[in-house]
Amino acid sequence: MSTTAEILRGLPYFSDLPDSLLERVCDLSEQIDIPEGQVIIEEGSDSEEMYVVIEGELAVTKRSGGRDVELGRIAAGNVVGEIALLDEAPRTATVSALRDTHAIRVPVAAFEDLLSDSRVVRRMFRTVTSRLRGIEETLRHEERMAALGKMAAQLMHELNNPAAAVARSTQELARLEAGLQSEAILLARAFGVTTGTALPNGGREMSALERGDAEDALVAWLTDLGVESPWDLAPPLVEAGWTEARLKEVVSGVSGELRPHLARWIGLGAATSQVVDELGIGARRISELVRVVKEYSFLDRAPVQEIIPTAGIQDTLILLKHKLRNIDVHLDFPDDLATVEAPGRDLNQVWTNLIDNAADVMPDGGTLEISARNADGHVVVEVKDSGPGIPDDVATRIFDPFFTTKEPGKGTGLGLHTVHTIVGRIGGEISVSSDSSGTTFMVRLPVAGTSMG
């Protein structure tokens, strides 16, 4: 086993320190093993030491909005705990082991010795300022998301009431429109027209060219008949299944001066029916969007749920439908996909970032393939785009905070870092593979009820 001095001397942070200083620090410090999940720094506790990570990885979390927010991870070769020692204040965050970790515990006395060397002070200053900048931006992002969640909850409540009112009004309008049709049948009978002729059962499937020709023919006939605004009536008449021949048959049973009025009445009835159908579709769409947003944001739900990941993916696709309109989306989800235990809202943020990024790299269209499968106690989800791919030098930094290839003002560099943080907090893993044919993000999440790690 290497001595503490040998270990520190091998790290860039301490490599050029004088032997006398390094010896004093090593005399006061000790090597420790930190089991996975063990907390070594508790938020709000007194500051008594810093840690140098030799092997393994630590997570830094802070309580915000009633839940733990991951601020960052400390990998081998880095230090943690120095901010509170510099400030001589209680700990501002909690630090725990993501997996079995080997570290050096540096007590406050040794820390003060280190501050006697200007090189350590400069390095520590750079580390602290960078870390504080990252923490501030992460917390701001979390606050914005929390505020957005509250606003979404209020918006969904406000939207749900008018959506329900529109749906009820549409149903009532449909009832009245049915009554109008019944009266039309009676009137048609009074004029000696058979019911079957008066009410066609919808139009047949037509190409755009066929539909245009049919509408033009009706406009010409209605114009010759003297019907007002024939161009407004022809489209709904064609949609309802009326043809020039059928209308001629209907109006032939009445006197000449009543024919344009009967034809217009039939046209207005068809237009009314079309509007009722469109209102119904709109009302159902609003209600569906309200449902999706509530499901997507897990409003009024427990912080952690046992969920099927693909349900959130499908909700995300609905919400991003406008951005995917030129993209072919292919889904491959098994019926027996296992559940995972996770904060539903956070997990949906993962799908949103991955799908949104995929759409961004295919501005002129492409293919988005999303698959899911069960594999060795995990649920594996792959999101693959047909974009230009990611260069190797970019792929190695893609999960780093504040790293972005987008133009200034178009990206914060926090999207994929947030994805990486959320997946890690759930106990999963995320990786990326890319070439000239596209990019694939693979997310592995532990099945509910299995140990994380």
Side-chain angles (χ1 to χ4, degrees), residues 99-173:
R99 54 179 180 270
D100 291 347
T101 298
H102 188 63
I104 297 174
R105 179 183 177 276
V106 181
V108 64
F111 178 79
E112 290 174 351
D113 278 344
L114 284 170
L115 293 181
S116 66
D117 191 289
S118 61
R119 288 165 292 191
V120 174
V121 173
R122 285 196 300 271
R123 289 164 191 162
M124 199 162 290
F125 178 76
R126 286 195 297 269
T127 301
V128 169
T129 53
S130 175
R131 194 169 292 164
L132 286 175
R133 190 162 54 244
I135 289 172
E136 179 184 14
E137 186 61 33
T138 300
L139 290 176
R140 282 182 179 176
H141 177 73
E142 289 292 331
E143 289 171 359
R144 287 195 296 268
M145 290 301 294
L148 183 60
K150 291 179 181 178
M151 185 172 65
Q154 295 170 352
L155 180 61
M156 290 308 97
H157 177 72
E158 294 300 324
L159 266 178
N160 202 41
N161 291 334
V166 171
R168 287 194 300 270
S169 297
T170 302
Q171 291 174 351
E172 178 63 14
L173 188 56

Side-chain angles (χ1 to χ4, degrees), residues 92-393:
T92 58
T94 295
V95 180
S96 60
L98 279 171
R99 54 179 180 270
D100 291 347
T101 298
H102 188 63
I104 297 174
R105 179 183 177 276
V106 181
V108 64
F111 178 79
E112 290 174 351
D113 278 344
L114 284 170
L115 293 181
S116 66
D117 191 289
S118 61
R119 288 165 292 191
V120 174
V121 173
R122 285 196 300 271
R123 289 164 191 162
M124 199 162 290
F125 178 76
R126 286 195 297 269
T127 301
V128 169
T129 53
S130 175
R131 194 169 292 164
L132 286 175
R133 190 162 54 244
I135 289 172
E136 179 184 14
E137 186 61 33
T138 300
L139 290 176
R140 282 182 179 176
H141 177 73
E142 289 292 331
E143 289 171 359
R144 287 195 296 268
M145 290 301 294
L148 183 60
K150 291 179 181 178
M151 185 172 65
Q154 295 170 352
L155 180 61
M156 290 308 97
H157 177 72
E158 294 300 324
L159 266 178
N160 202 41
N161 291 334
V166 171
R168 287 194 300 270
S169 297
T170 302
Q171 291 174 351
E172 178 63 14
L173 188 56
R175 187 185 67 80
L176 294 174
E177 194 268 336
L180 177 65
Q181 291 294 340
S182 297
E183 294 299 319
I185 293 172
L186 294 175
L187 183 60
R189 286 175 178 169
F191 285 123
V193 180
T194 64
T195 301
T197 304
L199 296 172
N201 295 318
R204 64 180 178 84
E205 288 292 329
M206 295 183 181
S207 66
L209 182 60
E210 289 176 322
R211 184 176 294 275
D213 289 343
E215 290 175 2
D216 289 343
L218 273 185
V219 168
W221 181 78
L222 292 170
T223 300
D224 291 341
L225 194 62
V227 175
E228 182 183 345
S229 303
W231 46 86
D232 291 333
L233 302 179
L237 283 169
V238 171
E239 180 70 23
W242 288 99
T243 63
E244 178 183 344
R246 298 190 76 178
L247 281 171
K248 281 181 179 178
E249 184 179 354
V250 170
V251 301
S252 63
V254 300
S255 60
E257 61 182 19
L258 290 178
R259 287 178 183 177
H261 297 290
L262 178 57
R264 178 170 170 75
W265 184 35
I266 294 171
L268 290 174
T272 301
S273 180
Q274 189 177 57
V275 170
V276 170
D277 290 342
E278 290 172 355
L279 276 172
I281 292 170
R284 288 191 295 274
R285 176 65 175 159
I286 292 172
S287 296
E288 176 67 7
L289 285 174
V290 169
R291 182 198 66 77
V292 167
V293 171
K294 289 180 72 174
E295 290 291 328
Y296 174 86
S297 58
F298 282 78
L299 299 174
D300 304 322
R301 303 277 290 277
V304 176
Q305 304 87 25
E306 190 171 320
I307 54 179
I308 300 176
T310 51
I313 294 174
Q314 290 170 324
D315 286 343
T316 301
L317 289 172
I318 292 174
L319 293 177
L320 293 179
K321 186 176 180 180
H322 69 287
K323 201 166 185 179
L324 301 169
R325 58 187 178 275
N326 297 323
I327 296 173
D328 293 326
V329 180
H330 301 282
L331 305 179
D332 183 12
F333 299 157
D335 294 332
D336 62 345
L337 193 67
T339 60
V340 302
E341 204 168 75
R345 182 163 44 190
D346 288 357
L347 194 54
N348 283 343
Q349 193 175 348
V350 170
W351 312 135
T352 300
N353 276 310
L354 294 181
I355 295 171
D356 190 56
N357 283 348
D360 284 341
V361 300
M362 300 183 288
D364 299 320
T367 302
L368 175 63
E369 300 177 38
I370 307 177
S371 64
R373 66 181 187 275
N374 299 315
D376 301 325
H378 289 77
V379 171
V380 177
V381 176
E382 292 187 350
V383 179
K384 181 179 181 180
D385 64 62
S386 61
I390 304 172
D392 291 341
D393 59 330

Side-chain angles (χ1 to χ4, degrees), residues 7-18:
I7 293 173
L8 291 179
R9 184 67 74 190
L11 300 177
Y13 210 94
F14 305 95
S15 61
D16 56 355
L17 298 184

